[in-house]
Amino acid sequence: MLTKRIIPCLDVKDGRVVKGKSFINLRDAGDPVALAKTYYEEGADELVFLDITATPEGRDTMVGVVERISQEVFMPLTVGGGLRKIDDMRRMLLAGADKISINTAAVLNPGLIREGADRFGSQCIVVAIDARRVKGDSQLRWQVYTHSGQKPSDLDAIEWAKEAVALGAGELLLTSMDADGHRAGYDNELNRAISEAVGVPVIASGGAGIPEDLYQALVSGRADAVLAASIFHYEEYSIDNIKSYLERRGIPIRR
Amino acid sequence: MVSIVDYGAGNLRSVINAVVKLGYQPKLAVTAEDVLEAGALILPGVGAAAHTMHSLKRLGLDSAISRYIAEGRPFLGICIGLQVLFSSTEEGGGHDCLGIVPGVVKRLPDNLKIPHMGWNQVKQKIEHPIFNGVPDGANFYFVHSYYVEPDDRALVAGETEYGITICSVLIRDNLVATQFHPEKSGEAGLKIYDNFIRMAQQDKP
């Protein structure tokens, strides 16, 4: 039986791991290679790196980081952040990344999804969606944001998810902007709405504070994988703690 | 000598890293001669089978790989490197493949999330040195939308459940091929590479 994946996320800036509350107030949490190795040894199922450096020098640093990690860590690696061109994707894949996550670039140029999928295969293309609840609407819906959550787009999250998959996305990385950084649980209405709308795996992200939150994202949110950052980084819970907890609650987990 | 076929596969780097981690110095096989000189040949692959077939043909590697395998020499195919061994694939409206293993490559049923992506268990159907030190039911990392159906079910050495039962390890003499990615499957995956290379070394006359 396919197991549910537990995915630590490392936000990397200038070669260092940082993670903040609701995308601001970043705090240093370590060396990416050392952290990646620790997660690998602890039994993480996959790793996601978001490069939040927006400069070309930062990009070069990230390529080197991915190269070093892929020599030590034998599990799937997803890299995202500022990758706007096929050549950017190719560089990361050649460095040892398995999947490329695109967010703003996909919204601005949806053709990039198709181009990437044709070139490298759908399994390589993760479309990351940052969504925020639309307030004051009679019907529950979510709006897509770009530029690290700074800019609202005119896209509806569910419609955009369907379009991204139709264009060739092999997986969706869904972040609730309302929940992200607050550590009070994922937005499982969002997770469920998207997971039921598409036929590809969905990674739920944003809001994990306690192991129960991950359980709910997998069960109520029907996510195929859960992504979390700070819950792991500050050693409040180890991967093993969380996996044991989920296993006790009947979730299929890799041990 | 361990050689890895380099035809531009997306997971080439990861396969090299895994083999290097085990203490071997792999060679890249870029020509038909390189393929035929290999002591142990690994065919990586990820993405689309038709694309891989096209690349192998363009580089003149298809017939060299067929000949290498026909000679009974040690071969390890990974993911698309398994699928292209078959007669044909349904992928992309239907394409002929290498025709080394009789059988077809089919799309996973549409009621499942596709691709089949993540860690899943491999039930070992036979005893074989490729499984040395790998517990029965160990988890490996899968990412694929198509699966193989060999005509000869006796070739199925490992099975995995994903809505249906799929062949996740195929073995015919010195030909070993996996649907999962051992280079992305932690210590159990490294063990598969190590076992394969050891088998190849013992196979030397």
Short mmCIF file of all heavy atoms in Angstrom, two decimals, chain A residues 1-3 5 40 45-46 70-72 74-77 93-96 98-99 120-121 123 170-171 195 198-202 224 254-255, chain B residues 9-11 13-14 17-18 21 46-48 51 112-121 139 141 143 161-162 182-187 190:
data_model
loop_
_atom_site.label_atom_id
_atom_site.label_comp_id
_atom_site.label_asym_id
_atom_site.label_seq_id
_atom_site.Cartn_x
_atom_site.Cartn_y
_atom_site.Cartn_z
N MET A 1 0.83 -1.20 0.00
CA MET A 1 0.00 0.00 0.00
C MET A 1 0.87 1.26 0.00
O MET A 1 1.90 1.30 0.69
CB MET A 1 -0.88 -0.01 1.26
CG MET A 1 -1.85 1.14 1.33
SD MET A 1 -2.53 1.30 3.01
CE MET A 1 -4.04 0.38 2.83
N LEU A 2 0.48 2.21 -0.81
CA LEU A 2 1.25 3.45 -0.88
C LEU A 2 1.18 4.17 0.47
O LEU A 2 0.09 4.34 1.03
CB LEU A 2 0.68 4.35 -1.98
CG LEU A 2 1.42 5.66 -2.22
CD1 LEU A 2 2.84 5.41 -2.70
CD2 LEU A 2 0.67 6.53 -3.24
N THR A 3 2.34 4.57 0.99
CA THR A 3 2.36 5.24 2.28
C THR A 3 2.19 6.75 2.09
O THR A 3 2.45 7.28 1.02
CB THR A 3 3.69 4.96 3.02
OG1 THR A 3 4.77 5.38 2.20
CG2 THR A 3 3.83 3.48 3.32
N ARG A 5 3.34 10.49 2.69
CA ARG A 5 4.69 11.06 2.81
C ARG A 5 4.76 12.22 3.80
O ARG A 5 3.89 13.08 3.81
CB ARG A 5 5.16 11.56 1.44
CG ARG A 5 5.48 10.47 0.47
CD ARG A 5 5.69 11.03 -0.92
NE ARG A 5 4.44 11.35 -1.58
CZ ARG A 5 4.30 12.27 -2.53
NH1 ARG A 5 5.33 12.98 -2.92
NH2 ARG A 5 3.12 12.49 -3.08
N TYR A 40 17.13 12.82 6.45
CA TYR A 40 17.26 11.55 5.73
C TYR A 40 17.45 10.41 6.73
O TYR A 40 16.76 9.39 6.66
CB TYR A 40 18.44 11.65 4.77
CG TYR A 40 18.85 10.36 4.09
CD1 TYR A 40 17.98 9.69 3.25
CD2 TYR A 40 20.13 9.84 4.26
CE1 TYR A 40 18.37 8.52 2.60
CE2 TYR A 40 20.54 8.68 3.62
CZ TYR A 40 19.65 8.02 2.79
OH TYR A 40 20.03 6.87 2.15
N ASP A 45 10.49 11.27 4.19
CA ASP A 45 10.18 10.55 2.96
C ASP A 45 10.63 11.30 1.72
O ASP A 45 10.69 10.73 0.63
CB ASP A 45 8.68 10.29 2.88
CG ASP A 45 8.24 9.36 4.01
OD1 ASP A 45 8.94 8.35 4.24
OD2 ASP A 45 7.22 9.65 4.66
N GLU A 46 10.90 12.56 1.89
CA GLU A 46 11.19 13.42 0.75
C GLU A 46 11.60 14.76 1.33
O GLU A 46 11.28 15.05 2.49
CB GLU A 46 9.88 13.54 -0.04
CG GLU A 46 10.01 14.01 -1.43
CD GLU A 46 8.72 13.76 -2.24
OE1 GLU A 46 8.04 12.73 -2.05
OE2 GLU A 46 8.42 14.61 -3.06
N SER A 70 22.50 15.97 -2.87
CA SER A 70 22.16 14.76 -3.63
C SER A 70 23.26 13.70 -3.56
O SER A 70 23.04 12.54 -3.89
CB SER A 70 21.80 15.10 -5.08
OG SER A 70 22.96 15.47 -5.78
N GLN A 71 24.45 14.11 -3.13
CA GLN A 71 25.52 13.12 -2.96
C GLN A 71 25.41 12.37 -1.64
O GLN A 71 26.02 11.33 -1.44
CB GLN A 71 26.89 13.82 -3.04
CG GLN A 71 27.23 14.22 -4.46
CD GLN A 71 28.37 15.21 -4.55
OE1 GLN A 71 29.04 15.48 -3.56
NE2 GLN A 71 28.59 15.75 -5.72
N GLU A 72 24.63 12.92 -0.72
CA GLU A 72 24.57 12.36 0.63
C GLU A 72 23.21 11.76 0.96
O GLU A 72 23.08 10.97 1.89
CB GLU A 72 24.85 13.47 1.66
CG GLU A 72 26.22 14.09 1.55
CD GLU A 72 27.32 13.14 1.97
OE1 GLU A 72 27.05 12.21 2.76
OE2 GLU A 72 28.46 13.30 1.49
N PHE A 74 19.66 9.98 -0.24
CA PHE A 74 19.10 9.17 -1.31
C PHE A 74 17.59 9.06 -1.17
O PHE A 74 17.04 8.00 -0.87
CB PHE A 74 19.82 7.82 -1.37
CG PHE A 74 21.28 8.03 -1.68
CD1 PHE A 74 22.22 8.13 -0.68
CD2 PHE A 74 21.68 8.21 -3.00
CE1 PHE A 74 23.56 8.38 -0.98
CE2 PHE A 74 23.01 8.47 -3.31
CZ PHE A 74 23.95 8.55 -2.29
N MET A 75 16.97 10.20 -1.32
CA MET A 75 15.51 10.26 -1.35
C MET A 75 15.12 11.42 -2.26
O MET A 75 15.98 12.22 -2.65
CB MET A 75 14.96 10.44 0.06
CG MET A 75 15.29 11.75 0.70
SD MET A 75 14.46 11.87 2.30
CE MET A 75 15.44 13.09 3.11
N PRO A 76 13.84 11.52 -2.62
CA PRO A 76 13.45 12.54 -3.59
C PRO A 76 13.66 13.96 -3.07
O PRO A 76 13.39 14.26 -1.91
CB PRO A 76 11.96 12.26 -3.80
CG PRO A 76 11.77 10.88 -3.34
CD PRO A 76 12.73 10.65 -2.25
N LEU A 77 14.16 14.80 -3.96
CA LEU A 77 14.43 16.19 -3.63
C LEU A 77 13.67 17.09 -4.60
O LEU A 77 13.79 16.94 -5.81
CB LEU A 77 15.93 16.50 -3.79
CG LEU A 77 16.91 15.59 -3.03
CD1 LEU A 77 18.34 15.92 -3.44
CD2 LEU A 77 16.73 15.76 -1.53
N LEU A 93 17.84 20.03 -12.10
CA LEU A 93 17.70 18.58 -12.29
C LEU A 93 19.07 17.94 -12.49
O LEU A 93 19.36 16.89 -11.93
CB LEU A 93 16.78 18.28 -13.48
CG LEU A 93 15.32 18.70 -13.29
CD1 LEU A 93 14.55 18.58 -14.60
CD2 LEU A 93 14.64 17.86 -12.20
N LEU A 94 19.92 18.61 -13.26
CA LEU A 94 21.26 18.07 -13.48
C LEU A 94 22.08 18.07 -12.19
O LEU A 94 22.95 17.23 -11.99
CB LEU A 94 22.00 18.86 -14.57
CG LEU A 94 21.49 18.64 -15.99
CD1 LEU A 94 22.24 19.54 -16.98
CD2 LEU A 94 21.64 17.18 -16.41
N ALA A 95 21.77 19.00 -11.31
CA ALA A 95 22.49 19.07 -10.02
C ALA A 95 22.04 17.95 -9.08
O ALA A 95 22.70 17.67 -8.08
CB ALA A 95 22.27 20.43 -9.37
N GLY A 96 20.90 17.31 -9.40
CA GLY A 96 20.46 16.18 -8.57
C GLY A 96 19.05 16.32 -8.03
O GLY A 96 18.58 15.45 -7.30
N ASP A 98 15.03 16.07 -8.16
CA ASP A 98 14.13 15.15 -8.85
C ASP A 98 12.90 15.86 -9.38
O ASP A 98 12.30 15.44 -10.36
CB ASP A 98 13.68 14.04 -7.90
CG ASP A 98 14.87 13.27 -7.40
OD1 ASP A 98 15.42 12.51 -8.20
OD2 ASP A 98 15.29 13.48 -6.25
N LYS A 99 12.50 16.89 -8.67
CA LYS A 99 11.30 17.63 -9.08
C LYS A 99 11.58 19.11 -8.96
O LYS A 99 12.38 19.55 -8.13
CB LYS A 99 10.12 17.28 -8.16
CG LYS A 99 9.81 15.81 -8.06
CD LYS A 99 8.55 15.59 -7.22
CE LYS A 99 8.69 14.42 -6.30
NZ LYS A 99 7.52 14.21 -5.44
N PHE A 120 10.74 17.25 -19.34
CA PHE A 120 11.32 16.43 -18.27
C PHE A 120 10.35 15.38 -17.74
O PHE A 120 10.72 14.57 -16.90
CB PHE A 120 11.76 17.34 -17.11
CG PHE A 120 12.61 18.50 -17.52
CD1 PHE A 120 12.16 19.81 -17.37
CD2 PHE A 120 13.86 18.29 -18.10
CE1 PHE A 120 12.94 20.88 -17.78
CE2 PHE A 120 14.64 19.36 -18.51
CZ PHE A 120 14.17 20.66 -18.35
N GLY A 121 9.11 15.41 -18.20
CA GLY A 121 8.08 14.49 -17.69
C GLY A 121 7.26 15.17 -16.61
O GLY A 121 7.77 15.97 -15.83
N GLN A 123 6.16 14.03 -13.91
CA GLN A 123 6.58 13.69 -12.54
C GLN A 123 7.59 14.68 -11.99
O GLN A 123 7.81 14.75 -10.80
CB GLN A 123 7.11 12.25 -12.48
CG GLN A 123 8.56 12.05 -12.86
CD GLN A 123 8.85 12.34 -14.33
OE1 GLN A 123 7.99 12.18 -15.18
NE2 GLN A 123 10.05 12.79 -14.62
N GLY A 170 2.52 17.21 -12.34
CA GLY A 170 2.44 15.84 -11.82
C GLY A 170 2.11 15.79 -10.35
O GLY A 170 1.83 14.71 -9.79
N GLU A 171 2.12 16.94 -9.71
CA GLU A 171 1.86 17.01 -8.28
C GLU A 171 1.56 18.47 -7.94
O GLU A 171 2.03 19.37 -8.63
CB GLU A 171 3.12 16.54 -7.53
CG GLU A 171 2.93 16.31 -6.05
CD GLU A 171 4.14 15.62 -5.42
OE1 GLU A 171 5.27 15.93 -5.84
OE2 GLU A 171 3.95 14.80 -4.53
N SER A 195 -7.77 18.32 -3.46
CA SER A 195 -7.44 16.90 -3.63
C SER A 195 -8.54 16.16 -4.39
O SER A 195 -8.26 15.26 -5.18
CB SER A 195 -7.19 16.26 -2.27
OG SER A 195 -6.66 14.97 -2.44
N VAL A 198 -8.59 17.09 -8.42
CA VAL A 198 -7.53 16.69 -9.37
C VAL A 198 -7.15 15.21 -9.18
O VAL A 198 -7.37 14.64 -8.12
CB VAL A 198 -6.25 17.56 -9.20
CG1 VAL A 198 -6.55 19.02 -9.50
CG2 VAL A 198 -5.64 17.40 -7.81
N GLY A 199 -6.53 14.64 -10.21
CA GLY A 199 -6.13 13.23 -10.16
C GLY A 199 -4.66 13.02 -9.87
O GLY A 199 -4.15 11.91 -10.01
N VAL A 200 -3.95 14.06 -9.46
CA VAL A 200 -2.53 13.92 -9.12
C VAL A 200 -2.36 14.08 -7.61
O VAL A 200 -3.25 14.60 -6.93
CB VAL A 200 -1.64 14.96 -9.86
CG1 VAL A 200 -1.79 14.84 -11.36
CG2 VAL A 200 -1.94 16.38 -9.39
N PRO A 201 -1.22 13.62 -7.07
CA PRO A 201 -1.01 13.77 -5.63
C PRO A 201 -0.97 15.24 -5.19
O PRO A 201 -0.51 16.09 -5.94
CB PRO A 201 0.36 13.11 -5.40
CG PRO A 201 0.62 12.27 -6.60
CD PRO A 201 -0.12 12.90 -7.73
N VAL A 202 -1.48 15.47 -3.98
CA VAL A 202 -1.49 16.81 -3.40
C VAL A 202 -0.69 16.79 -2.09
O VAL A 202 -0.90 15.94 -1.23
CB VAL A 202 -2.93 17.28 -3.12
CG1 VAL A 202 -2.94 18.59 -2.32
CG2 VAL A 202 -3.70 17.45 -4.42
N ASP A 224 -2.11 13.62 0.06
CA ASP A 224 -1.28 12.44 -0.15
C ASP A 224 0.04 12.57 0.61
O ASP A 224 0.73 11.59 0.84
CB ASP A 224 -0.99 12.28 -1.64
CG ASP A 224 -2.27 12.12 -2.42
OD1 ASP A 224 -2.83 11.02 -2.40
OD2 ASP A 224 -2.77 13.13 -2.98
N ARG A 254 5.85 4.83 6.02
CA ARG A 254 7.08 4.07 5.78
C ARG A 254 7.92 4.05 7.05
O ARG A 254 8.17 5.09 7.64
CB ARG A 254 7.89 4.73 4.67
CG ARG A 254 9.28 4.11 4.50
CD ARG A 254 10.04 4.77 3.39
NE ARG A 254 10.58 6.05 3.77
CZ ARG A 254 11.88 6.27 3.97
NH1 ARG A 254 12.76 5.30 3.83
NH2 ARG A 254 12.30 7.48 4.30
N ARG A 255 8.34 2.86 7.46
CA ARG A 255 9.22 2.76 8.63
C ARG A 255 10.56 2.23 8.22
O ARG A 255 10.68 1.54 7.23
CB ARG A 255 8.60 1.83 9.69
CG ARG A 255 7.26 2.32 10.14
CD ARG A 255 7.33 3.71 10.71
NE ARG A 255 8.00 3.67 12.01
CZ ARG A 255 8.12 4.70 12.85
NH1 ARG A 255 7.66 5.87 12.50
NH2 ARG A 255 8.71 4.58 14.00
N ALA B 9 19.05 11.03 -19.45
CA ALA B 9 17.98 10.73 -18.48
C ALA B 9 18.04 11.71 -17.30
O ALA B 9 19.12 12.07 -16.83
CB ALA B 9 18.11 9.31 -17.95
N GLY B 10 16.86 12.09 -16.83
CA GLY B 10 16.75 13.07 -15.75
C GLY B 10 17.36 12.60 -14.45
O GLY B 10 17.78 13.42 -13.63
N ASN B 11 17.43 11.29 -14.24
CA ASN B 11 17.94 10.82 -12.95
C ASN B 11 19.37 10.30 -13.04
O ASN B 11 19.86 9.65 -12.12
CB ASN B 11 17.03 9.73 -12.38
CG ASN B 11 16.95 8.50 -13.26
OD1 ASN B 11 17.23 8.57 -14.45
ND2 ASN B 11 16.59 7.37 -12.68
N ARG B 13 22.26 11.81 -12.66
CA ARG B 13 23.10 12.29 -11.56
C ARG B 13 22.86 11.48 -10.28
O ARG B 13 23.79 11.09 -9.60
CB ARG B 13 22.82 13.79 -11.35
CG ARG B 13 23.39 14.44 -10.12
CD ARG B 13 24.90 14.34 -9.95
NE ARG B 13 25.64 14.61 -11.16
CZ ARG B 13 26.94 14.31 -11.33
NH1 ARG B 13 27.62 13.75 -10.36
NH2 ARG B 13 27.54 14.58 -12.47
N SER B 14 21.59 11.22 -9.99
CA SER B 14 21.26 10.49 -8.77
C SER B 14 21.79 9.06 -8.82
O SER B 14 22.23 8.53 -7.81
CB SER B 14 19.74 10.44 -8.57
OG SER B 14 19.21 11.74 -8.57
N ASN B 17 25.47 9.22 -8.23
CA ASN B 17 25.72 9.47 -6.80
C ASN B 17 25.58 8.21 -5.96
O ASN B 17 26.37 7.97 -5.05
CB ASN B 17 24.74 10.53 -6.27
CG ASN B 17 25.08 11.93 -6.76
OD1 ASN B 17 26.19 12.19 -7.22
ND2 ASN B 17 24.11 12.82 -6.68
N ALA B 18 24.56 7.40 -6.28
CA ALA B 18 24.33 6.18 -5.49
C ALA B 18 25.49 5.21 -5.68
O ALA B 18 26.00 4.62 -4.72
CB ALA B 18 23.01 5.53 -5.92
N LYS B 21 28.57 6.49 -3.97
CA LYS B 21 28.43 6.36 -2.52
C LYS B 21 28.85 4.96 -2.05
O LYS B 21 29.38 4.77 -0.96
CB LYS B 21 26.97 6.63 -2.12
CG LYS B 21 26.68 6.55 -0.64
CD LYS B 21 27.21 7.78 0.07
CE LYS B 21 26.95 7.73 1.57
NZ LYS B 21 27.58 8.88 2.24
N VAL B 46 13.56 8.11 -16.35
CA VAL B 46 12.47 8.76 -15.65
C VAL B 46 11.73 9.55 -16.71
O VAL B 46 12.32 9.92 -17.73
CB VAL B 46 13.04 9.64 -14.51
CG1 VAL B 46 13.75 10.87 -15.03
CG2 VAL B 46 11.98 10.01 -13.49
N GLY B 47 10.44 9.72 -16.56
CA GLY B 47 9.70 10.52 -17.55
C GLY B 47 8.94 9.65 -18.53
O GLY B 47 8.21 8.76 -18.12
N ALA B 48 9.16 9.90 -19.81
CA ALA B 48 8.36 9.24 -20.84
C ALA B 48 9.16 8.18 -21.58
O ALA B 48 10.30 8.41 -22.00
CB ALA B 48 7.83 10.28 -21.83
N HIS B 51 10.14 9.03 -25.24
CA HIS B 51 11.26 9.97 -25.29
C HIS B 51 12.58 9.22 -25.11
O HIS B 51 13.56 9.47 -25.81
CB HIS B 51 11.06 11.01 -24.19
CG HIS B 51 11.97 12.19 -24.33
ND1 HIS B 51 13.10 12.33 -23.57
CD2 HIS B 51 11.91 13.25 -25.15
CE1 HIS B 51 13.71 13.46 -23.92
NE2 HIS B 51 13.02 14.03 -24.88
N LEU B 112 -7.18 5.87 -9.79
CA LEU B 112 -6.10 6.09 -8.82
C LEU B 112 -5.46 7.44 -9.08
O LEU B 112 -5.55 7.97 -10.18
CB LEU B 112 -5.02 5.01 -8.99
CG LEU B 112 -5.48 3.57 -8.85
CD1 LEU B 112 -4.40 2.63 -9.36
CD2 LEU B 112 -5.79 3.28 -7.38
N LYS B 113 -4.78 7.97 -8.05
CA LYS B 113 -3.98 9.18 -8.28
C LYS B 113 -2.81 8.77 -9.16
O LYS B 113 -2.11 7.78 -8.88
CB LYS B 113 -3.47 9.73 -6.96
CG LYS B 113 -4.61 10.33 -6.12
CD LYS B 113 -4.45 11.83 -5.96
CE LYS B 113 -5.66 12.40 -5.26
NZ LYS B 113 -5.47 13.78 -4.83
N ILE B 114 -2.62 9.50 -10.23
CA ILE B 114 -1.53 9.21 -11.17
C ILE B 114 -0.69 10.48 -11.30
O ILE B 114 -1.25 11.54 -11.53
CB ILE B 114 -2.09 8.79 -12.55
CG1 ILE B 114 -2.87 7.47 -12.40
CG2 ILE B 114 -0.96 8.63 -13.55
CD1 ILE B 114 -3.50 6.98 -13.70
N PRO B 115 0.64 10.41 -11.17
CA PRO B 115 1.43 9.19 -11.01
C PRO B 115 1.29 8.50 -9.64
O PRO B 115 0.86 9.12 -8.68
CB PRO B 115 2.88 9.70 -11.18
CG PRO B 115 2.85 11.17 -11.05
CD PRO B 115 1.46 11.62 -11.29
N HIS B 116 1.61 7.21 -9.64
CA HIS B 116 1.83 6.47 -8.40
C HIS B 116 3.14 7.04 -7.86
O HIS B 116 4.20 6.79 -8.41
CB HIS B 116 1.97 4.98 -8.74
CG HIS B 116 2.41 4.11 -7.60
ND1 HIS B 116 3.20 3.00 -7.80
CD2 HIS B 116 2.18 4.17 -6.26
CE1 HIS B 116 3.44 2.40 -6.63
NE2 HIS B 116 2.83 3.10 -5.69
N MET B 117 3.03 7.88 -6.82
CA MET B 117 4.19 8.62 -6.36
C MET B 117 4.37 8.44 -4.86
O MET B 117 3.47 8.76 -4.10
CB MET B 117 4.01 10.10 -6.70
CG MET B 117 5.23 10.95 -6.43
SD MET B 117 4.91 12.69 -6.70
CE MET B 117 5.10 12.82 -8.47
N GLY B 118 5.50 7.93 -4.46
CA GLY B 118 5.79 7.78 -3.04
C GLY B 118 6.38 6.42 -2.72
O GLY B 118 6.77 5.66 -3.62
N TRP B 119 6.44 6.13 -1.42
CA TRP B 119 7.08 4.90 -0.95
C TRP B 119 6.05 3.80 -0.82
O TRP B 119 5.00 3.98 -0.20
CB TRP B 119 7.73 5.14 0.41
CG TRP B 119 8.81 6.17 0.40
CD1 TRP B 119 8.65 7.52 0.36
CD2 TRP B 119 10.23 5.94 0.42
NE1 TRP B 119 9.88 8.15 0.36
CE2 TRP B 119 10.86 7.20 0.41
CE3 TRP B 119 11.02 4.78 0.47
CZ2 TRP B 119 12.25 7.35 0.44
CZ3 TRP B 119 12.40 4.93 0.50
CH2 TRP B 119 13.00 6.20 0.48
N ASN B 120 6.36 2.65 -1.40
CA ASN B 120 5.43 1.52 -1.36
C ASN B 120 6.24 0.24 -1.17
O ASN B 120 7.44 0.19 -1.43
CB ASN B 120 4.61 1.49 -2.66
CG ASN B 120 3.29 0.78 -2.50
OD1 ASN B 120 3.14 -0.09 -1.63
ND2 ASN B 120 2.32 1.11 -3.33
N GLN B 121 5.56 -0.81 -0.69
CA GLN B 121 6.26 -2.05 -0.33
C GLN B 121 6.45 -2.97 -1.54
O GLN B 121 5.59 -3.05 -2.41
CB GLN B 121 5.46 -2.82 0.73
CG GLN B 121 5.22 -2.03 2.02
CD GLN B 121 3.97 -1.20 1.93
OE1 GLN B 121 2.91 -1.70 1.60
NE2 GLN B 121 4.07 0.10 2.20
N ASN B 139 10.13 -0.80 1.86
CA ASN B 139 9.57 0.30 1.07
C ASN B 139 10.59 0.85 0.08
O ASN B 139 11.77 1.04 0.43
CB ASN B 139 9.14 1.44 1.99
CG ASN B 139 7.82 1.17 2.66
OD1 ASN B 139 6.77 1.25 2.01
ND2 ASN B 139 7.84 0.83 3.93
N TYR B 141 10.91 3.87 -3.34
CA TYR B 141 10.27 5.07 -3.88
C TYR B 141 9.86 4.87 -5.35
O TYR B 141 10.68 4.58 -6.20
CB TYR B 141 11.19 6.28 -3.77
CG TYR B 141 10.47 7.56 -4.11
CD1 TYR B 141 9.65 8.20 -3.18
CD2 TYR B 141 10.57 8.13 -5.38
CE1 TYR B 141 8.97 9.36 -3.50
CE2 TYR B 141 9.90 9.29 -5.71
CZ TYR B 141 9.09 9.89 -4.76
OH TYR B 141 8.41 11.04 -5.08
N VAL B 143 7.73 6.42 -8.77
CA VAL B 143 7.03 7.51 -9.44
C VAL B 143 6.85 7.10 -10.90
O VAL B 143 7.80 7.06 -11.68
CB VAL B 143 7.74 8.88 -9.27
CG1 VAL B 143 9.21 8.85 -9.56
CG2 VAL B 143 7.06 9.95 -10.10
N GLU B 161 1.46 -3.33 -4.43
CA GLU B 161 0.02 -3.05 -4.53
C GLU B 161 -0.22 -1.55 -4.69
O GLU B 161 0.20 -0.75 -3.84
CB GLU B 161 -0.70 -3.49 -3.23
CG GLU B 161 -0.58 -4.97 -2.90
CD GLU B 161 -1.32 -5.85 -3.89
OE1 GLU B 161 -2.33 -5.39 -4.46
OE2 GLU B 161 -0.85 -6.99 -4.10
N TYR B 162 -0.90 -1.20 -5.75
CA TYR B 162 -1.39 0.18 -5.88
C TYR B 162 -2.73 0.09 -6.62
O TYR B 162 -2.79 0.24 -7.83
CB TYR B 162 -0.38 1.07 -6.62
CG TYR B 162 -0.81 2.53 -6.65
CD1 TYR B 162 -1.00 3.24 -5.46
CD2 TYR B 162 -1.04 3.20 -7.84
CE1 TYR B 162 -1.40 4.56 -5.46
CE2 TYR B 162 -1.44 4.54 -7.85
CZ TYR B 162 -1.62 5.20 -6.66
OH TYR B 162 -2.03 6.52 -6.67
N PRO B 182 15.74 2.83 -7.00
CA PRO B 182 16.59 2.49 -5.86
C PRO B 182 17.49 3.65 -5.43
O PRO B 182 17.81 3.77 -4.25
CB PRO B 182 17.42 1.29 -6.35
CG PRO B 182 17.01 1.00 -7.73
CD PRO B 182 15.94 1.95 -8.15
N GLU B 183 17.84 4.52 -6.38
CA GLU B 183 18.72 5.65 -6.04
C GLU B 183 18.00 6.69 -5.20
O GLU B 183 18.61 7.63 -4.70
CB GLU B 183 19.32 6.28 -7.32
CG GLU B 183 18.34 7.05 -8.22
CD GLU B 183 17.45 6.15 -9.07
OE1 GLU B 183 17.58 4.91 -8.97
OE2 GLU B 183 16.60 6.69 -9.80
N LYS B 184 16.67 6.53 -5.05
CA LYS B 184 15.88 7.46 -4.24
C LYS B 184 15.23 6.73 -3.08
O LYS B 184 14.28 7.23 -2.48
CB LYS B 184 14.80 8.11 -5.12
CG LYS B 184 15.37 9.08 -6.11
CD LYS B 184 15.87 10.34 -5.42
CE LYS B 184 17.01 10.98 -6.18
NZ LYS B 184 17.56 12.14 -5.43
N SER B 185 15.68 5.50 -2.81
CA SER B 185 15.01 4.65 -1.83
C SER B 185 15.87 4.36 -0.61
O SER B 185 15.80 3.26 -0.05
CB SER B 185 14.57 3.35 -2.50
OG SER B 185 13.64 3.60 -3.52
N GLY B 186 16.65 5.34 -0.20
CA GLY B 186 17.40 5.20 1.05
C GLY B 186 18.33 4.00 1.06
O GLY B 186 18.85 3.58 0.00
N GLU B 187 18.53 3.44 2.25
CA GLU B 187 19.51 2.37 2.42
C GLU B 187 19.10 1.10 1.67
O GLU B 187 19.95 0.40 1.11
CB GLU B 187 19.69 2.06 3.91
CG GLU B 187 20.22 3.26 4.71
CD GLU B 187 21.53 3.83 4.15
OE1 GLU B 187 22.47 3.04 3.89
OE2 GLU B 187 21.61 5.06 3.96
N LEU B 190 20.12 1.57 -1.93
CA LEU B 190 21.57 1.44 -2.14
C LEU B 190 21.97 -0.03 -2.14
O LEU B 190 22.85 -0.45 -2.88
CB LEU B 190 22.34 2.21 -1.06
CG LEU B 190 22.22 3.75 -1.11
CD1 LEU B 190 22.97 4.37 0.06
CD2 LEU B 190 22.74 4.31 -2.43
#
